[in-house]
Amino acid sequence: MEDKRNIPIIEWEHLDKRKFYVFGICMTMMIRCYVTTYELTRKYVSHYTNNNALKSLVAGGSASLVAQSITVPIDVVSQHLMMQRKGESMGRFTVRHQDGKGLLVFGQTKDIIVQIFKADGFRGFYRGYVASLLTYIPNSAVWWPFYHFYAEQLSSLTPKDCPHLLLQAISGPLAAATASTLTNPMDVIRARVQVEGKSSIVLTFRQLLAEEGPWGLTKGLSARIISATPSTIVIVVGYETLKKLSLRPELVDSRHW
């Protein structure tokens, strides 16, 4: 079926795979695994449907599953680092110093890793893994369809010679803001599970509602959107540039930058 979109999506079969991986060598391994999972899943789903939104939904969710399996341990450690406050117990791990004052043992990353392993073993680094999947799989699954949707809408509102890369750079943050708004409640619960050592997502949700009401589910949303904006622009511009540079020679002239 011929694609009638104003900004044609560069699919997996349009790429010169050798160029794609040569140019992509400068990216981190995590980003490459995210991108590869997304593209291969889109290709697989394309055998069953031509619906771009559905392809993006399934591929985005699959890519997020791979990404979270890599990043959850890092996230668990960083969450404790961010929650650290001198002289107070902000998590489960505190020690008594000689002066009798409570001192967080999370002064260094090494100490955090050791304490988590002592308390929970290897599984401690995957505390909140299910909560993370319930947060980021939907986040990624809806980000991609909204990204293509915003890019298409912006394209229809701007002159034809407007750089597509600029429209895509704007669409990325818009999609991120939308996805963040939809998934923020689960993200708040995920943070509590990981930092406070809770084991039940449902009980954590009930406790949050009882303590702070529905507004507690919006905590950190503005900061999340603000922090996602610059990184999303960089990722989108890098990702789309990588795909355009990796196009097969016969398709180079068919894609507008």
Side-chain angles (χ1 to χ4, degrees):
M1 183 179 294
E2 185 178 356
D3 194 347
K4 301 295 185 181
R5 300 170 64 85
N6 292 326
I7 304 181
I9 297 172
I10 299 175
E11 301 287 2
W12 181 251
E13 59 267 24
H14 298 155
L15 303 177
D16 181 323
K17 279 63 174 187
R18 183 176 60 182
K19 288 183 179 179
F20 179 80
Y21 283 105
V22 168
F23 286 119
I25 199 67
C26 296
M27 291 181 152
T28 64
M29 180 62 70
M30 184 189 71
I31 295 298
R32 289 203 302 276
C33 292
Y34 186 85
V35 171
T36 302
T37 302
Y38 176 79
E39 293 294 349
L40 289 178
T41 305
R42 277 187 65 93
K43 178 178 173 59
Y44 177 78
V45 177
S46 295
H47 295 156
Y48 303 95
T49 179
N50 287 320
N51 187 297
N52 179 65
L54 181 59
K55 289 192 291 184
S56 297
L57 188 78
V58 176
S62 300
S64 183
L65 174 63
V66 173
Q68 287 307 300
S69 298
I70 298 172
T71 61
V72 164
I74 300 172
D75 200 28
V76 169
V77 175
S78 64
Q79 286 280 357
H80 283 89
L81 275 172
M82 289 187 289
M83 293 297 290
Q84 177 177 293
R85 185 181 300 169
K86 186 175 181 180
E88 295 182 22
S89 176
M90 295 299 293
R92 295 177 295 150
F93 305 103
T94 58
V95 295
R96 289 290 174 181
H97 205 261
Q98 290 182 353
D99 58 7
K101 296 181 179 180
L103 178 66
L104 281 175
V105 81
F106 290 153
Q108 298 178 353
T109 301
K110 178 181 178 181
D111 294 328
I112 297 178
I113 295 173
V114 170
Q115 287 298 313
I116 291 176
F117 187 78
K118 284 183 178 179
D120 300 317
F122 181 75
R123 68 177 184 176
F125 296 100
Y126 279 89
R127 180 173 292 278
Y129 179 64
V130 173
S132 292
L133 294 182
L134 293 177
T135 300
Y136 291 109
I137 287 182
N139 185 85
S140 181
V142 301
W143 187 92
W144 288 99
F146 274 113
Y147 167 62
H148 293 307
F149 169 77
Y150 286 130
E152 187 67 14
Q153 294 303 308
L154 288 173
S155 176
S156 65
L157 296 173
T158 55
K160 291 186 177 181
D161 58 351
C162 183
H164 285 179
L165 197 59
L166 174 61
L167 301 182
Q168 291 163 331
I170 297 174
S171 300
L174 291 176
T178 304
S180 295
T181 301
L182 294 175
T183 61
N184 196 73
M186 195 63 224
D187 197 34
V188 175
I189 296 172
R190 174 193 63 83
R192 282 203 170 197
V193 169
Q194 290 181 331
V195 175
E196 298 178 10
K198 299 182 181 297
S199 58
S200 172
I201 294 175
V202 175
L203 292 179
T204 303
F205 172 71
R206 290 177 178 174
Q207 182 183 6
L208 179 62
L209 285 181
E211 292 177 354
E212 305 184 45
W215 286 109
L217 298 174
T218 66
K219 294 175 65 175
L221 177 58
S222 58
R224 190 178 173 197
I225 293 175
I226 292 172
S227 64
T229 297
S231 59
T232 302
I233 293 175
V234 172
I235 291 173
V236 166
V237 171
Y239 174 63
E240 294 293 350
T241 299
L242 172 62
K243 290 209 298 182
K244 287 181 172 67
L245 290 174
S246 302
L247 274 171
R248 299 204 310 265
E250 65 272 21
L251 294 174
V252 171
D253 294 333
S254 66
R255 294 298 186 269
H256 173 53
W257 281 63

